[in-house]
Amino acid sequence: MKPLRLRRSRKRAAATLCLGLSAAAALQPSLAEPAAANSAAVYRFDIAAQPLYAALSQLAEQTGIQFVYSPDLVRSLQAPALSGSMTADQALQKLLAGSGLAHKAGQGNSVILEKTAVNQPQSAPGSTTLPSVTVVGKASGFDDNDPHSREYAKSHSAAATKTDTPIFDTAASIQVVPRAVMEDQKNTRIKDALENVSGVRAQPTLGMGTGFIVRGFKVDHVFRNGLITTQSNGFNSEFDIANLESVEILKGPSAMLYGRSEPGGLINVTTKKPSETPFYSLEQQFGSYDYYRTQWDATGPLNGDKTLLYRFSGSYQDNNSFRDLIFTDRVSVSPSITWKPSDATDFTLNVEGLKQDYQADFGIPAIGNRPANIPIGNSFGDTNDPVDHLSKVHLGTEFNHRFNQDWAIHNRFLMSRENNEQVFVNPSPAFGNALLADNRTLGRNIFSQENEVEAYTTNLDLTGKFKLLGMQHDALVGFDYTQSHTMYHTQGDWQNRNPALDIDIYNPRASYGIPASVFDSTLASYVQPGREYSMFVTEWYGAYFQDHITLWDKLHIYGGGRYDWAEVGRGRGTTEASAENALEYSNPSVKRKDEAFSPRVGILYQPWRWLSVYGSWSNSFGANNGVSAAGQALAPETGEQFEAGVKTQFFDDRLLATLAYYHLTKNNIMTADLSTPDPTDNAAIGQARSQGIELDVSGRLSDNFSIIGSYAFTDARITKNNDGYEGSRLPNVAEHSGSLWLRFDANGYQAAEGFSMGVGGVLAGKREGNYAYYGSPFQLPGYVRVDAFAAYKWNVHKFPVTAQFNIRNLLDKTYYESTDPDANVSPRNGIYPGAPLMAIGSVKVEF
């Protein structure tokens, strides 16, 4: 007979006991208190998603219940995350949901687990059963990664601490936009999803990419499953949301765990993972401006014992735009596979490929101190402009091994490769005012650029939990390494206007039709001496540690630090080989090595179960890849932040709210050097400061109403530089901004059928369009955009079908999202208008 496994509290036993069935039946009541003593008590649980046996062990430790089961019974079974206040029985029901296991009361305080019988017999006379379940708190019918989940709040964030610490217990401002929100809003890019987060604004370049402003400062780099995706180049990648489970934002400097990162915050996308529970979905979307999108998702086991799992998700999208000549044709595929050789070990291989044909967009120019008052559909490219191409691939692995319920090792690896080819009819001069004195003629010339990026990054983390001197420790020790190469090739003339290509911004169509021969001859004949090829390299090592100390289950103390060794370099030449040689054999002034220690400390106190009060201090360390006019590599950027805030959980922990105040400074900011005629020469303007208040709310008000909302007051200014503009506001940062999205489910959020609807809005105040030294200043007006959706879900031959209709910009308001972040064109020449009223219909079938 196979042995049974008995899990019980470490307070009552020093080890796990394996008993035969006869021994289990003979358990004496003296081993524990009566079961009734625990059945009525309410506990607060924070148990991470993990193997079922480990989750049961944590439940036993906290409640004192003894679980009796055969080890084979739980082999390969996973338990969902569990967070909230509930009885022990309610918690056990959650952990066993979908496992095929049932439980019954044993003698004393023991609970016996067994397979669910088809016709469950009545309990034996004199036996007791645990009471029926009415779930309290966040413990809903779904775990955080369930594809059926409709939850707007997530209890954990992998990006914040690299441990399973709940957000509510972490001394930092952390927001997570889950899959459910993206589905309801029909987002296709992460820039749309992040409109739900306070203090975050998209700042795309050439009308695409994933550039953002967080707490006033630009963030170029997006992390994928905790690893940075692109390096040292400033060229923004593109993410389709088809393979995303959530988007996480860790506010403030995060260098202690991640090394190179902007002080405003870190953006991390979490991809979908293979699941033991089969799930299949197919969705077709269609909408305004010839918008068509097909999206799919499939996951499940590949073998009978569920040790091999797969997932395959992706999308195909083809759409025009409200902007003339602008379009996107994109396909994204994301296969992944997970191998679980044992309950303690898993290995996942994931691949993400994206190919996109599109037309880049420079937006519209400014006239005076406002965007030009022209139709927002007017664009200033050309009908014969060659199609632009983007291709990228991410190949990632993740390895986890749990030595026991307290100690584990984690390794991740990511290879990123990207190629982007673009040909423009470029506003010219690109970094000056391309609009002529008549305020209607835009100077242009032909320009092309290509960048190839290859990056590798990996990390190794050891996590552990232990008690020392009466204190609970949740420790982390890790090491990571990053290497990247970027080759940037340019051709054409973006500095000198070609009068033959001038265009009327009020009537651009009359000038469309530049002969293809003009494109070919211009690009073939022009070589910018010494500037045609640029090679950027980055090599980065970092070692870090962190300890989360808990006292009296109320006081949480965080401390940690990281030491970085970084090398960056840049070479230029008229050929690719000469650029590589210039980098390899250059003097040390073009290569720069830096070392730095980045600490982070924080404290959080919970006077009551529903309230956390915290404060923190953190630093950041970056690296500039530009060089000065004298050929000297620029000093690395650094940042420092002080933050204080409160977190609350309302409505039985269904709703999470964070209110934070921060004061953040950034030093050695790279920008154009105005003392030289070359607009690519860089200098450090000195220092900028951002301070403000942010509020984020997400979760459920009831079974029928869900909400996600935000508000930010942001005061971001230049505090030190040498051009006399101290005190100027940082561009594209609204003093007041916010968002609100409310969903109503007529039959409750867990209902398999019924009607749902939602309404929301995005608000942004007036923003500066550029730094004053990029020409005369101008402003983007404030705006409020209203969105809405309605959906109905029903079963067709037992298959769930959802029909949904979304309207974006319901009131059809004209507004301007941002300016180009001065990477390709002066902000005065590149203002991006928001889309007018756009309707999207969709039909989704699940299997």
Side-chain angles (χ1 to χ4, degrees), residues 230-233 235 416-418 451-456 481-488 534-539 569 580 583:
T230 55
Q231 320 285 323
S232 71
N233 53 70
F235 301 107
S416 301
R417 290 188 176 181
E418 179 176 322
N451 65 283
E452 296 180 0
V453 183
E454 184 173 334
Y456 301 89
Y481 171 74
T482 295
Q483 182 188 81
S484 72
H485 295 80
T486 300
M487 179 61 75
Y488 176 51
S534 295
M535 168 69 81
F536 303 89
V537 296
T538 296
E539 192 168 22
E580 291 179 352
L583 179 66

PDB file of all heavy atoms in Angstrom, residues 230-233 235 416-418 451-456 481-488 534-539 569 580 583:
ATOM      1  N   THR A 230      15.566  45.534 -25.081  1.00  0.00           N
ATOM      2  CA  THR A 230      16.425  46.233 -26.040  1.00  0.00           C
ATOM      3  C   THR A 230      17.399  47.104 -25.276  1.00  0.00           C
ATOM      4  O   THR A 230      17.125  47.541 -24.175  1.00  0.00           O
ATOM      5  CB  THR A 230      15.610  47.103 -27.010  1.00  0.00           C
ATOM      6  OG1 THR A 230      14.783  47.994 -26.261  1.00  0.00           O
ATOM      7  CG2 THR A 230      14.739  46.240 -27.908  1.00  0.00           C
ATOM      8  N   GLN A 231      18.524  47.380 -25.884  1.00  0.00           N
ATOM      9  CA  GLN A 231      19.604  48.062 -25.185  1.00  0.00           C
ATOM     10  C   GLN A 231      20.184  49.201 -26.000  1.00  0.00           C
ATOM     11  O   GLN A 231      20.180  49.165 -27.222  1.00  0.00           O
ATOM     12  CB  GLN A 231      20.753  47.080 -24.898  1.00  0.00           C
ATOM     13  CG  GLN A 231      20.322  45.696 -24.481  1.00  0.00           C
ATOM     14  CD  GLN A 231      19.838  45.667 -23.072  1.00  0.00           C
ATOM     15  OE1 GLN A 231      20.388  46.367 -22.237  1.00  0.00           O
ATOM     16  NE2 GLN A 231      18.828  44.902 -22.781  1.00  0.00           N
ATOM     17  N   SER A 232      20.727  50.168 -25.360  1.00  0.00           N
ATOM     18  CA  SER A 232      21.735  51.099 -25.849  1.00  0.00           C
ATOM     19  C   SER A 232      21.458  51.729 -27.196  1.00  0.00           C
ATOM     20  O   SER A 232      22.361  52.133 -27.881  1.00  0.00           O
ATOM     21  CB  SER A 232      23.095  50.388 -25.946  1.00  0.00           C
ATOM     22  OG  SER A 232      23.098  49.451 -27.001  1.00  0.00           O
ATOM     23  N   ASN A 233      20.198  51.800 -27.627  1.00  0.00           N
ATOM     24  CA  ASN A 233      20.000  52.271 -28.988  1.00  0.00           C
ATOM     25  C   ASN A 233      18.958  53.355 -29.111  1.00  0.00           C
ATOM     26  O   ASN A 233      18.978  54.121 -30.067  1.00  0.00           O
ATOM     27  CB  ASN A 233      19.617  51.103 -29.895  1.00  0.00           C
ATOM     28  CG  ASN A 233      18.438  50.323 -29.347  1.00  0.00           C
ATOM     29  OD1 ASN A 233      17.322  50.800 -29.330  1.00  0.00           O
ATOM     30  ND2 ASN A 233      18.698  49.120 -28.857  1.00  0.00           N
ATOM     31  N   PHE A 235      15.977  52.970 -29.981  1.00  0.00           N
ATOM     32  CA  PHE A 235      14.955  52.599 -30.949  1.00  0.00           C
ATOM     33  C   PHE A 235      13.930  51.723 -30.238  1.00  0.00           C
ATOM     34  O   PHE A 235      14.248  50.657 -29.736  1.00  0.00           O
ATOM     35  CB  PHE A 235      15.568  51.858 -32.134  1.00  0.00           C
ATOM     36  CG  PHE A 235      16.609  52.665 -32.840  1.00  0.00           C
ATOM     37  CD1 PHE A 235      17.947  52.355 -32.722  1.00  0.00           C
ATOM     38  CD2 PHE A 235      16.246  53.770 -33.589  1.00  0.00           C
ATOM     39  CE1 PHE A 235      18.908  53.111 -33.356  1.00  0.00           C
ATOM     40  CE2 PHE A 235      17.204  54.533 -34.229  1.00  0.00           C
ATOM     41  CZ  PHE A 235      18.542  54.213 -34.114  1.00  0.00           C
ATOM     42  N   SER A 416      17.065  38.773 -27.725  1.00  0.00           N
ATOM     43  CA  SER A 416      16.216  39.682 -28.497  1.00  0.00           C
ATOM     44  C   SER A 416      16.958  40.092 -29.767  1.00  0.00           C
ATOM     45  O   SER A 416      18.108  40.521 -29.709  1.00  0.00           O
ATOM     46  CB  SER A 416      15.883  40.944 -27.690  1.00  0.00           C
ATOM     47  OG  SER A 416      15.214  40.628 -26.490  1.00  0.00           O
ATOM     48  N   ARG A 417      16.288  39.937 -30.896  1.00  0.00           N
ATOM     49  CA  ARG A 417      16.840  40.411 -32.167  1.00  0.00           C
ATOM     50  C   ARG A 417      15.772  41.215 -32.886  1.00  0.00           C
ATOM     51  O   ARG A 417      14.607  40.824 -32.910  1.00  0.00           O
ATOM     52  CB  ARG A 417      17.287  39.235 -33.038  1.00  0.00           C
ATOM     53  CG  ARG A 417      18.520  38.523 -32.511  1.00  0.00           C
ATOM     54  CD  ARG A 417      19.039  37.506 -33.502  1.00  0.00           C
ATOM     55  NE  ARG A 417      20.280  36.903 -33.034  1.00  0.00           N
ATOM     56  CZ  ARG A 417      20.970  35.987 -33.709  1.00  0.00           C
ATOM     57  NH1 ARG A 417      20.535  35.584 -34.901  1.00  0.00           N
ATOM     58  NH2 ARG A 417      22.087  35.483 -33.218  1.00  0.00           N
ATOM     59  N   GLU A 418      16.200  42.319 -33.467  1.00  0.00           N
ATOM     60  CA  GLU A 418      15.246  43.204 -34.119  1.00  0.00           C
ATOM     61  C   GLU A 418      15.898  43.889 -35.303  1.00  0.00           C
ATOM     62  O   GLU A 418      17.076  44.267 -35.260  1.00  0.00           O
ATOM     63  CB  GLU A 418      14.743  44.252 -33.128  1.00  0.00           C
ATOM     64  CG  GLU A 418      13.758  45.245 -33.710  1.00  0.00           C
ATOM     65  CD  GLU A 418      13.223  46.203 -32.665  1.00  0.00           C
ATOM     66  OE1 GLU A 418      12.994  45.772 -31.532  1.00  0.00           O
ATOM     67  OE2 GLU A 418      13.043  47.387 -32.993  1.00  0.00           O
ATOM     68  N   ASN A 451      18.126  49.944 -38.391  1.00  0.00           N
ATOM     69  CA  ASN A 451      18.839  49.540 -37.188  1.00  0.00           C
ATOM     70  C   ASN A 451      18.674  48.045 -36.968  1.00  0.00           C
ATOM     71  O   ASN A 451      17.595  47.472 -37.190  1.00  0.00           O
ATOM     72  CB  ASN A 451      18.380  50.318 -35.952  1.00  0.00           C
ATOM     73  CG  ASN A 451      16.946  50.050 -35.580  1.00  0.00           C
ATOM     74  OD1 ASN A 451      16.033  50.565 -36.213  1.00  0.00           O
ATOM     75  ND2 ASN A 451      16.735  49.242 -34.549  1.00  0.00           N
ATOM     76  N   GLU A 452      19.762  47.406 -36.576  1.00  0.00           N
ATOM     77  CA  GLU A 452      19.773  45.994 -36.233  1.00  0.00           C
ATOM     78  C   GLU A 452      20.229  45.863 -34.790  1.00  0.00           C
ATOM     79  O   GLU A 452      21.299  46.356 -34.422  1.00  0.00           O
ATOM     80  CB  GLU A 452      20.700  45.209 -37.155  1.00  0.00           C
ATOM     81  CG  GLU A 452      20.278  45.208 -38.615  1.00  0.00           C
ATOM     82  CD  GLU A 452      21.231  44.423 -39.482  1.00  0.00           C
ATOM     83  OE1 GLU A 452      22.214  43.881 -38.933  1.00  0.00           O
ATOM     84  OE2 GLU A 452      21.008  44.347 -40.699  1.00  0.00           O
ATOM     85  N   VAL A 453      19.413  45.209 -33.976  1.00  0.00           N
ATOM     86  CA  VAL A 453      19.706  45.069 -32.551  1.00  0.00           C
ATOM     87  C   VAL A 453      19.808  43.597 -32.212  1.00  0.00           C
ATOM     88  O   VAL A 453      18.982  42.782 -32.643  1.00  0.00           O
ATOM     89  CB  VAL A 453      18.600  45.715 -31.688  1.00  0.00           C
ATOM     90  CG1 VAL A 453      18.968  45.623 -30.199  1.00  0.00           C
ATOM     91  CG2 VAL A 453      18.367  47.155 -32.094  1.00  0.00           C
ATOM     92  N   GLU A 454      20.836  43.254 -31.464  1.00  0.00           N
ATOM     93  CA  GLU A 454      20.991  41.902 -30.943  1.00  0.00           C
ATOM     94  C   GLU A 454      21.373  42.014 -29.472  1.00  0.00           C
ATOM     95  O   GLU A 454      22.377  42.640 -29.137  1.00  0.00           O
ATOM     96  CB  GLU A 454      22.067  41.143 -31.721  1.00  0.00           C
ATOM     97  CG  GLU A 454      22.231  39.700 -31.309  1.00  0.00           C
ATOM     98  CD  GLU A 454      23.195  38.944 -32.213  1.00  0.00           C
ATOM     99  OE1 GLU A 454      23.349  39.344 -33.386  1.00  0.00           O
ATOM    100  OE2 GLU A 454      23.798  37.962 -31.743  1.00  0.00           O
ATOM    101  N   ALA A 455      20.555  41.434 -28.609  1.00  0.00           N
ATOM    102  CA  ALA A 455      20.772  41.586 -27.169  1.00  0.00           C
ATOM    103  C   ALA A 455      20.582  40.247 -26.474  1.00  0.00           C
ATOM    104  O   ALA A 455      19.721  39.442 -26.864  1.00  0.00           O
ATOM    105  CB  ALA A 455      19.804  42.616 -26.583  1.00  0.00           C
ATOM    106  N   TYR A 456      21.382  40.027 -25.446  1.00  0.00           N
ATOM    107  CA  TYR A 456      21.296  38.819 -24.623  1.00  0.00           C
ATOM    108  C   TYR A 456      21.306  39.242 -23.160  1.00  0.00           C
ATOM    109  O   TYR A 456      22.111  40.087 -22.754  1.00  0.00           O
ATOM    110  CB  TYR A 456      22.482  37.887 -24.889  1.00  0.00           C
ATOM    111  CG  TYR A 456      22.600  37.438 -26.321  1.00  0.00           C
ATOM    112  CD1 TYR A 456      23.324  38.197 -27.237  1.00  0.00           C
ATOM    113  CD2 TYR A 456      21.984  36.268 -26.755  1.00  0.00           C
ATOM    114  CE1 TYR A 456      23.436  37.792 -28.565  1.00  0.00           C
ATOM    115  CE2 TYR A 456      22.090  35.858 -28.076  1.00  0.00           C
ATOM    116  CZ  TYR A 456      22.807  36.623 -28.979  1.00  0.00           C
ATOM    117  OH  TYR A 456      22.916  36.228 -30.288  1.00  0.00           O
ATOM    118  N   TYR A 481      23.388  39.482 -16.161  1.00  0.00           N
ATOM    119  CA  TYR A 481      24.344  39.889 -17.183  1.00  0.00           C
ATOM    120  C   TYR A 481      23.578  40.292 -18.430  1.00  0.00           C
ATOM    121  O   TYR A 481      22.601  39.646 -18.815  1.00  0.00           O
ATOM    122  CB  TYR A 481      25.297  38.739 -17.512  1.00  0.00           C
ATOM    123  CG  TYR A 481      26.175  39.003 -18.711  1.00  0.00           C
ATOM    124  CD1 TYR A 481      27.243  39.891 -18.628  1.00  0.00           C
ATOM    125  CD2 TYR A 481      25.934  38.370 -19.927  1.00  0.00           C
ATOM    126  CE1 TYR A 481      28.054  40.144 -19.727  1.00  0.00           C
ATOM    127  CE2 TYR A 481      26.750  38.603 -21.030  1.00  0.00           C
ATOM    128  CZ  TYR A 481      27.805  39.492 -20.925  1.00  0.00           C
ATOM    129  OH  TYR A 481      28.599  39.741 -22.013  1.00  0.00           O
ATOM    130  N   THR A 482      24.027  41.379 -19.070  1.00  0.00           N
ATOM    131  CA  THR A 482      23.393  41.892 -20.280  1.00  0.00           C
ATOM    132  C   THR A 482      24.459  42.287 -21.281  1.00  0.00           C
ATOM    133  O   THR A 482      25.468  42.898 -20.924  1.00  0.00           O
ATOM    134  CB  THR A 482      22.519  43.125 -19.971  1.00  0.00           C
ATOM    135  OG1 THR A 482      21.436  42.733 -19.142  1.00  0.00           O
ATOM    136  CG2 THR A 482      21.968  43.737 -21.235  1.00  0.00           C
ATOM    137  N   GLN A 483      24.209  41.932 -22.530  1.00  0.00           N
ATOM    138  CA  GLN A 483      25.105  42.335 -23.617  1.00  0.00           C
ATOM    139  C   GLN A 483      24.260  42.682 -24.838  1.00  0.00           C
ATOM    140  O   GLN A 483      23.314  41.965 -25.160  1.00  0.00           O
ATOM    141  CB  GLN A 483      26.068  41.204 -23.964  1.00  0.00           C
ATOM    142  CG  GLN A 483      27.068  41.550 -25.064  1.00  0.00           C
ATOM    143  CD  GLN A 483      27.865  40.347 -25.515  1.00  0.00           C
ATOM    144  OE1 GLN A 483      27.397  39.544 -26.312  1.00  0.00           O
ATOM    145  NE2 GLN A 483      29.069  40.202 -24.969  1.00  0.00           N
ATOM    146  N   SER A 484      24.582  43.779 -25.512  1.00  0.00           N
ATOM    147  CA  SER A 484      23.815  44.150 -26.694  1.00  0.00           C
ATOM    148  C   SER A 484      24.705  44.846 -27.713  1.00  0.00           C
ATOM    149  O   SER A 484      25.702  45.479 -27.368  1.00  0.00           O
ATOM    150  CB  SER A 484      22.653  45.084 -26.320  1.00  0.00           C
ATOM    151  OG  SER A 484      23.135  46.366 -25.970  1.00  0.00           O
ATOM    152  N   HIS A 485      24.323  44.687 -28.982  1.00  0.00           N
ATOM    153  CA  HIS A 485      24.990  45.356 -30.097  1.00  0.00           C
ATOM    154  C   HIS A 485      23.917  45.963 -30.991  1.00  0.00           C
ATOM    155  O   HIS A 485      22.926  45.312 -31.316  1.00  0.00           O
ATOM    156  CB  HIS A 485      25.829  44.375 -30.918  1.00  0.00           C
ATOM    157  CG  HIS A 485      26.981  43.779 -30.177  1.00  0.00           C
ATOM    158  ND1 HIS A 485      26.815  42.724 -29.293  1.00  0.00           N
ATOM    159  CD2 HIS A 485      28.304  44.082 -30.169  1.00  0.00           C
ATOM    160  CE1 HIS A 485      27.988  42.410 -28.788  1.00  0.00           C
ATOM    161  NE2 HIS A 485      28.912  43.206 -29.298  1.00  0.00           N
ATOM    162  N   THR A 486      24.114  47.192 -31.400  1.00  0.00           N
ATOM    163  CA  THR A 486      23.201  47.858 -32.322  1.00  0.00           C
ATOM    164  C   THR A 486      23.993  48.486 -33.454  1.00  0.00           C
ATOM    165  O   THR A 486      24.949  49.225 -33.203  1.00  0.00           O
ATOM    166  CB  THR A 486      22.398  48.964 -31.600  1.00  0.00           C
ATOM    167  OG1 THR A 486      21.642  48.383 -30.548  1.00  0.00           O
ATOM    168  CG2 THR A 486      21.455  49.661 -32.576  1.00  0.00           C
ATOM    169  N   MET A 487      23.599  48.177 -34.676  1.00  0.00           N
ATOM    170  CA  MET A 487      24.170  48.830 -35.842  1.00  0.00           C
ATOM    171  C   MET A 487      23.107  49.729 -36.446  1.00  0.00           C
ATOM    172  O   MET A 487      22.010  49.282 -36.774  1.00  0.00           O
ATOM    173  CB  MET A 487      24.634  47.812 -36.883  1.00  0.00           C
ATOM    174  CG  MET A 487      25.228  48.454 -38.141  1.00  0.00           C
ATOM    175  SD  MET A 487      26.697  49.472 -37.812  1.00  0.00           S
ATOM    176  CE  MET A 487      27.923  48.199 -37.537  1.00  0.00           C
ATOM    177  N   TYR A 488      23.438  51.009 -36.581  1.00  0.00           N
ATOM    178  CA  TYR A 488      22.491  52.007 -37.077  1.00  0.00           C
ATOM    179  C   TYR A 488      23.050  52.603 -38.363  1.00  0.00           C
ATOM    180  O   TYR A 488      24.161  53.128 -38.379  1.00  0.00           O
ATOM    181  CB  TYR A 488      22.284  53.090 -36.013  1.00  0.00           C
ATOM    182  CG  TYR A 488      21.398  54.234 -36.433  1.00  0.00           C
ATOM    183  CD1 TYR A 488      20.150  54.002 -36.979  1.00  0.00           C
ATOM    184  CD2 TYR A 488      21.801  55.556 -36.249  1.00  0.00           C
ATOM    185  CE1 TYR A 488      19.322  55.061 -37.343  1.00  0.00           C
ATOM    186  CE2 TYR A 488      20.991  56.619 -36.615  1.00  0.00           C
ATOM    187  CZ  TYR A 488      19.744  56.357 -37.165  1.00  0.00           C
ATOM    188  OH  TYR A 488      18.938  57.398 -37.537  1.00  0.00           O
ATOM    189  N   SER A 534      26.701  53.748 -37.407  1.00  0.00           N
ATOM    190  CA  SER A 534      27.049  53.898 -35.988  1.00  0.00           C
ATOM    191  C   SER A 534      26.849  52.559 -35.303  1.00  0.00           C
ATOM    192  O   SER A 534      25.841  51.879 -35.532  1.00  0.00           O
ATOM    193  CB  SER A 534      26.176  54.960 -35.302  1.00  0.00           C
ATOM    194  OG  SER A 534      26.422  56.244 -35.827  1.00  0.00           O
ATOM    195  N   MET A 535      27.812  52.174 -34.487  1.00  0.00           N
ATOM    196  CA  MET A 535      27.741  50.937 -33.711  1.00  0.00           C
ATOM    197  C   MET A 535      27.687  51.283 -32.237  1.00  0.00           C
ATOM    198  O   MET A 535      28.519  52.047 -31.727  1.00  0.00           O
ATOM    199  CB  MET A 535      28.959  50.054 -33.995  1.00  0.00           C
ATOM    200  CG  MET A 535      29.119  48.888 -33.041  1.00  0.00           C
ATOM    201  SD  MET A 535      27.859  47.618 -33.236  1.00  0.00           S
ATOM    202  CE  MET A 535      28.521  46.727 -34.635  1.00  0.00           C
ATOM    203  N   PHE A 536      26.659  50.769 -31.542  1.00  0.00           N
ATOM    204  CA  PHE A 536      26.518  50.967 -30.101  1.00  0.00           C
ATOM    205  C   PHE A 536      26.690  49.613 -29.415  1.00  0.00           C
ATOM    206  O   PHE A 536      26.152  48.597 -29.879  1.00  0.00           O
ATOM    207  CB  PHE A 536      25.130  51.506 -29.743  1.00  0.00           C
ATOM    208  CG  PHE A 536      24.760  52.789 -30.437  1.00  0.00           C
ATOM    209  CD1 PHE A 536      24.125  52.764 -31.667  1.00  0.00           C
ATOM    210  CD2 PHE A 536      25.027  54.014 -29.860  1.00  0.00           C
ATOM    211  CE1 PHE A 536      23.767  53.926 -32.312  1.00  0.00           C
ATOM    212  CE2 PHE A 536      24.674  55.190 -30.496  1.00  0.00           C
ATOM    213  CZ  PHE A 536      24.046  55.149 -31.724  1.00  0.00           C
ATOM    214  N   VAL A 537      27.405  49.582 -28.308  1.00  0.00           N
ATOM    215  CA  VAL A 537      27.569  48.339 -27.553  1.00  0.00           C
ATOM    216  C   VAL A 537      27.341  48.616 -26.073  1.00  0.00           C
ATOM    217  O   VAL A 537      27.617  49.710 -25.570  1.00  0.00           O
ATOM    218  CB  VAL A 537      28.969  47.713 -27.747  1.00  0.00           C
ATOM    219  CG1 VAL A 537      29.175  47.304 -29.181  1.00  0.00           C
ATOM    220  CG2 VAL A 537      30.063  48.654 -27.279  1.00  0.00           C
ATOM    221  N   THR A 538      26.819  47.599 -25.400  1.00  0.00           N
ATOM    222  CA  THR A 538      26.626  47.659 -23.957  1.00  0.00           C
ATOM    223  C   THR A 538      26.989  46.302 -23.364  1.00  0.00           C
ATOM    224  O   THR A 538      26.627  45.257 -23.925  1.00  0.00           O
ATOM    225  CB  THR A 538      25.164  47.968 -23.591  1.00  0.00           C
ATOM    226  OG1 THR A 538      24.817  49.261 -24.071  1.00  0.00           O
ATOM    227  CG2 THR A 538      24.962  47.931 -22.082  1.00  0.00           C
ATOM    228  N   GLU A 539      27.698  46.324 -22.266  1.00  0.00           N
ATOM    229  CA  GLU A 539      27.963  45.101 -21.504  1.00  0.00           C
ATOM    230  C   GLU A 539      27.792  45.445 -20.039  1.00  0.00           C
ATOM    231  O   GLU A 539      28.373  46.413 -19.551  1.00  0.00           O
ATOM    232  CB  GLU A 539      29.364  44.563 -21.787  1.00  0.00           C
ATOM    233  CG  GLU A 539      29.576  43.167 -21.245  1.00  0.00           C
ATOM    234  CD  GLU A 539      30.842  42.528 -21.783  1.00  0.00           C
ATOM    235  OE1 GLU A 539      31.740  43.277 -22.219  1.00  0.00           O
ATOM    236  OE2 GLU A 539      30.929  41.291 -21.767  1.00  0.00           O
ATOM    237  N   GLY A 569      29.831  51.883 -25.395  1.00  0.00           N
ATOM    238  CA  GLY A 569      30.707  52.448 -26.406  1.00  0.00           C
ATOM    239  C   GLY A 569      29.964  52.748 -27.681  1.00  0.00           C
ATOM    240  O   GLY A 569      28.865  52.234 -27.924  1.00  0.00           O
ATOM    241  N   GLU A 580      32.649  49.367 -36.848  1.00  0.00           N
ATOM    242  CA  GLU A 580      33.087  48.361 -35.880  1.00  0.00           C
ATOM    243  C   GLU A 580      34.551  48.576 -35.500  1.00  0.00           C
ATOM    244  O   GLU A 580      34.930  48.460 -34.336  1.00  0.00           O
ATOM    245  CB  GLU A 580      32.883  46.966 -36.463  1.00  0.00           C
ATOM    246  CG  GLU A 580      31.421  46.578 -36.618  1.00  0.00           C
ATOM    247  CD  GLU A 580      31.258  45.194 -37.212  1.00  0.00           C
ATOM    248  OE1 GLU A 580      32.280  44.621 -37.641  1.00  0.00           O
ATOM    249  OE2 GLU A 580      30.127  44.696 -37.238  1.00  0.00           O
ATOM    250  N   LEU A 583      35.028  51.476 -33.180  1.00  0.00           N
ATOM    251  CA  LEU A 583      34.664  51.146 -31.806  1.00  0.00           C
ATOM    252  C   LEU A 583      35.734  50.276 -31.153  1.00  0.00           C
ATOM    253  O   LEU A 583      36.157  50.517 -30.031  1.00  0.00           O
ATOM    254  CB  LEU A 583      33.319  50.426 -31.795  1.00  0.00           C
ATOM    255  CG  LEU A 583      32.807  49.982 -30.426  1.00  0.00           C
ATOM    256  CD1 LEU A 583      32.506  51.192 -29.560  1.00  0.00           C
ATOM    257  CD2 LEU A 583      31.548  49.143 -30.579  1.00  0.00           C
TER     258      LEU A 583
END
